[in-house]
């Protein structure tokens, strides 16, 4: 339903966590190179647990390669430099939400092309940024919430008891 883009991710554990979040929400993951790690790296698989095999993931050489293969993509750019708050926009099914690399974010020359769809997570003071995997989870779950958690399991179940026993 949704698409998460990581532009030049550097930390395998973050990408593994994000991959797991994508599987849990039915989102596709798009990785734009160069990557700061190998896709067979142990940390990546450990963070993604046994979910990595279920992940719909595509790797691109660079941003131009991504745009050539996805020319009609509606992209929201998640950045601390944006003026719009992530919860103030309406996320359409099949839209793309892009996040930059951990050390530098999305390059400003790319951001300038997406001024109207640049979004930010509010923070206090001079905090540089949140952890990348946390940021993806915050924004992706807002998009999923806005779309009524479509195709998601909305109720949990106890293994050895029934909720009615609690009454």
């Amino acid at each position: 339903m949704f698409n998460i883009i990581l532009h030049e991710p550097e930390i395998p554990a973050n990408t593994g966590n994000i991959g797991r979040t994508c599987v849990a929400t039915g989102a596709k993951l798009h990785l734009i190179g160069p990557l700061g790690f190998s896709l067979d790296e142990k940390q990546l698989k450990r963070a993604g647990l046994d979910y990595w095999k279920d992940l719909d993931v595509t790797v691109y050489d660079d941003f131009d390669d991504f745009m050539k293969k996805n020319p009609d993509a509606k992209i929201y750019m998640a950045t601390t430099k944006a003026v719009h708050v992530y919860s103030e926009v309406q996320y359409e099914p099949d839209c793309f939400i892009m996040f930059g690399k951990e050390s530098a974010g999305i390059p400003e020359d790319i951001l300038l092309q997406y001024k109207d769809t640049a979004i930010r997570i509010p923070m206090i003071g001079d905090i540089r940024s949140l952890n990348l995997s946390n940021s993806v989870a915050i924004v992706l779950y807002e998009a999923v919430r806005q779309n009524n958690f479509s195709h998601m399991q909305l109720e949990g179940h106890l293994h050895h008891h029934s909720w009615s026993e609690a009454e």
Side-chain angles (χ1 to χ4, degrees):
M1 180 176 227
F2 292 101
N3 297 276
I4 296 298
I5 307 167
L6 301 182
H7 186 269
E8 300 180 4
E10 301 167 311
I11 301 174
N14 280 338
T15 301
N17 287 333
I18 292 163
R20 184 175 179 175
T21 300
C22 287
V23 171
T25 58
K28 296 176 184 176
L29 181 60
H30 304 264
L31 302 175
I32 296 177
L35 307 180
F37 50 85
S38 164
L39 287 180
D40 60 1
E41 194 150 335
K42 186 162 55 169
Q43 285 181 301
L44 179 73
K45 302 285 198 266
R46 184 179 307 138
L49 295 175
D50 55 346
Y51 300 100
W52 194 258
K53 66 181 176 15
D54 300 320
L55 179 63
D56 184 349
V57 61
T58 305
V59 180
Y60 305 88
D61 293 335
D62 53 30
F63 189 68
D64 289 338
D65 182 35
F66 171 83
M67 290 307 300
K68 283 179 196 160
K69 293 175 179 163
N70 300 278
D72 300 322
K74 169 73 182 250
I75 306 174
Y76 292 94
M77 298 282 174
T79 172
T80 58
K81 301 168 180 89
V83 296
H84 303 292
V85 174
Y86 77 99
S87 57
E88 296 174 341
V89 300
Q90 287 298 123
Y91 300 95
E92 309 85 353
D94 298 322
C95 71
F96 292 76
I97 308 167
M98 185 162 134
F99 297 81
K101 64 182 168 182
E102 291 89 342
S103 65
I106 300 169
E108 289 189 6
D109 59 320
I110 294 174
L111 287 177
L112 286 172
Q113 300 170 49
Y114 295 89
K115 177 184 168 190
D116 294 334
T117 58
I119 55 171
R120 67 174 283 116
I121 299 170
M123 294 176 284
I124 294 174
D126 294 333
I127 299 297
R128 200 170 60 246
S129 66
L130 294 173
N131 173 275
L132 179 60
S133 61
N134 291 340
S135 297
V136 169
I138 289 168
V139 178
L140 179 55
Y141 266 90
E142 173 61 15
V144 171
R145 183 198 66 78
Q146 286 183 11
N147 287 269
N148 300 311
F149 299 102
S150 179
H151 301 92
M152 297 180 79
Q153 181 177 333
L154 299 179
E155 294 181 12
H157 304 282
L158 299 172
H159 291 288
H160 304 291
H161 302 281
S162 128
W163 284 112
S164 61
E165 292 175 26
E167 295 172 356

